[in-house]
Structures are given as C-alpha cells and as structure tokens.
C-alpha cells in the first residue's frame, strides 16, 4: 500500500515539476515588433503571404497525384499475377485502366489540361 502511494505521489510530482520549470523557462521577454514579424532574409515582407495562385496549376497538381497513386497501385498487381487466374487479372487491370483513361479523356474534353 505504501508503495502505491509513493508511486502515485511521484507520478504526480514529476509532471507538475516539469510543467512549472517549462513555464518559468518559456516566459517571453519584451514582445518586440521585429521579433513578432515574419522573417524574410532580414527584410520586411514586400507583400502578403496570402497571394492567390493559379487554379489550373492546382488541378494539374491534383491530376499528377491521382496518376502517381494509381501507378503505385498498378505495380504490385504485376507481382500478384503469378498467384491469380489470368482471366480475372486481365479483367481487373483492363477495367482499372479503362476508368483511368476515361477520366483523363473527360478532363481533356472539359479543357482542364490546357494552360491558359
């Protein structure tokens, strides 16, 4: 019983002690305007960090990620070809590639891939 009380006291004292030390160490000195401003090579920022970006660039980046992930999905399928039936494997890969190609054609038809 004494061991449990001692353990409970130690497990309560150590975190409280650590939090107190951290609070004392992390006290900020004078909040200076220069210290609180974003650092950009020692100069004040010329413009806002919230500048707009191109939606077209965003769409192409998303397309790249989609095709990149799908290639990562296709690579292990080649290894599993040894253990699966060939007709089922061919049907699965063909349907997967068909969905990919139809999606790409749809995006091409809607003009999402044109950079203008």
């Amino acid at each position: 019983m004494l061991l449990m009380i001692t353990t409970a006291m130690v497990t309560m004292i150590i975190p409280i002690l650590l939090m107190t030390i951290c609070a004392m160490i992390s006290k900020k000195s004078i909040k200076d305007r220069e210290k609180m401003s974003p650092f950009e090579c020692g100069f004040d920022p010329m413009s806002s960090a919230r500048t707009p970006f191109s939606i077209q660039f965003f769409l192409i980046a998303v397309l790249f990620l989609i095709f990149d992930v799908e290639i990562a999905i296709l690579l292990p399928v080649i290894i599993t070809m040894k253990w699966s039936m060939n007709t089922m494997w061919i049907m699965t890969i063909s349907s997967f590639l068909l969905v990919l190609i139809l999606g790409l054609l749809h995006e091409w038809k809607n003009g999402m891939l044109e950079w203008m």
Side-chain angles (χ1 to χ4, degrees):
M1 185 72 177
L2 184 62
L3 181 63
M4 285 179 25
I5 293 173
T6 307
T7 305
M9 292 294 283
V10 168
T11 56
M12 289 172 54
I13 290 174
I14 290 176
I16 291 172
L17 184 66
L18 287 173
M19 287 190 292
T20 306
I21 291 172
C22 287
M24 289 181 355
I25 291 175
S26 69
K27 291 288 182 189
K28 301 253 189 248
S29 58
I30 301 170
K31 291 186 177 182
D32 191 17
R33 179 181 171 268
E34 291 297 323
K35 288 182 182 177
M36 297 303 289
S37 67
F39 181 72
E40 187 176 328
C41 303
F43 299 103
D44 288 333
M46 300 291 274
S47 63
S48 172
R50 305 270 184 213
T51 56
F53 62 95
S54 171
I55 285 291
Q56 200 66 30
F57 175 77
F58 178 74
L59 287 174
I60 289 179
V62 168
L63 285 175
F64 170 76
L65 287 175
I66 289 171
F67 281 102
D68 192 39
V69 168
E70 289 167 353
I71 287 174
I73 290 172
L74 279 176
L75 288 177
V77 172
I78 296 170
I79 297 171
T80 61
M81 187 176 127
K82 290 188 231 179
W83 298 293
S84 64
M85 297 185 314
N86 283 338
T87 55
M88 187 61 127
W89 185 83
I90 290 172
M91 287 174 48
T92 304
I93 293 300
S94 297
S95 63
F96 187 73
L97 288 176
L98 181 69
V99 168
L100 275 179
I101 291 170
L102 288 175
L104 181 65
L105 290 175
H106 175 71
E107 289 164 356
W108 194 351
K109 181 181 173 188
N110 288 337
M112 292 181 175
L113 299 176
E114 294 185 21
W115 195 270
M116 288 188 184

